[in-house]
Amino acid sequence: MKLSALRPGFRFWLVILLLVLGGGLTLLDPRESNVPDLVPNDKAGEPDYYLVDARLTRFDAQGTPHQRIDTPRLVHTPIDDVTRVDQPDLSLLDDSGREWIADADNGELGPDGNPLTLSGDAHLEAPAERWQLDTEVLVYDSDTGHVWSETPAVLRQPPQQMQGERFDAWIHDNTARLTDNVTGHHPPEPQ
């Protein structure tokens, strides 16, 4: 028996070399291994894009930023031209430059980016006025500056608290209204 018949051939060493190179490249691959969940198809159809850890800034006709949304996930579907966001943190600027803050479990920007509907533990805050609102669904029309809720809402301006069936606010006019079955707690001012 010849000794050369027992030695591995060229093909064997080529396969071993390719396996070693493949293993080395796998260890050196800088890409993140956890890919975001795929977006499921729903009645709105398949999305044309989605973003992870996104910040969306909208500008008015004069080029001034007036709305910012930070979200861990943004999905746009072209069939209905709707943008859906998860756990949005929203910052709005009114005509006077005051900031209004909102957040919710989910959000939806309608066609052409208006209106914005926040749903699931929707929260709106006016830090300059020291009041905050909690409701289930909150809608914001950026063209008119109108924010409203047709679900029960609780309005707080410590130490006062009121609740009602409907809430309306016009952020540019600094006006708010709570209507339908309004009840509240208004402690007397200390002497």
Side-chain angles (χ1 to χ4, degrees):
M1 180 182 255
K2 290 184 178 179
L3 190 57
S4 64
L6 294 175
R7 278 194 312 174
F10 173 75
R11 289 183 184 164
F12 173 78
W13 290 113
L14 183 61
V15 169
I16 296 297
L17 179 65
L18 288 174
L19 288 173
V20 168
L21 282 174
L25 288 175
T26 302
L27 292 174
L28 295 176
D29 189 5
R31 290 179 290 183
E32 199 171 312
S33 61
N34 41 340
V35 176
D37 295 336
L38 293 177
V39 178
N41 286 334
D42 62 7
K43 63 182 177 193
E46 187 172 326
D48 56 348
Y49 64 87
Y50 70 94
L51 302 172
V52 177
D53 293 328
R55 173 174 279 179
L56 173 69
T57 303
R58 298 190 66 213
F59 298 86
D60 62 16
Q62 291 75 33
T64 306
H66 69 93
Q67 181 178 327
R68 186 188 75 230
I69 301 173
D70 291 311
T71 178
R73 185 177 178 83
L74 177 145
V75 178
H76 179 265
T77 50
I79 291 174
D80 56 3
D81 191 24
V82 170
T83 303
R84 292 165 182 82
V85 292
D86 293 340
Q87 301 167 350
D89 285 324
L90 179 70
S91 174
L92 307 170
L93 291 178
D94 66 16
D95 289 345
S96 302
R98 289 177 301 221
E99 183 178 30
W100 298 64
I101 301 168
D103 60 67
D105 294 337
N106 300 296
E108 195 173 283
L109 281 165
D112 295 325
N114 203 34
L116 169 65
T117 303
L118 300 174
S119 59
D121 292 328
H123 178 80
L124 176 67
E125 235 177 278
E129 285 75 25
R130 296 184 10 224
W131 63 257
Q132 57 190 14
L133 175 86
D134 292 303
T135 187
E136 191 57 33
V137 178
L138 192 65
V139 182
Y140 171 62
D141 183 334
S142 63
D143 294 336
T144 61
H146 184 205
V147 181
W148 72 92
S149 174
E150 295 178 352
T151 58
V154 177
L155 180 65
R156 293 179 186 88
Q157 187 175 26
Q160 302 176 58
Q161 175 176 313
M162 296 174 286
Q163 56 192 35
E165 300 296 318
R166 179 177 170 86
F167 172 80
D168 289 278
W170 292 266
I171 66 171
H172 302 304
D173 300 333
N174 196 25
T175 305
R177 177 177 63 200
L178 194 60
T179 56
D180 299 336
N181 297 320
V182 176
T183 60
H185 174 68
H186 305 276
E189 290 187 26
Q191 295 294 325

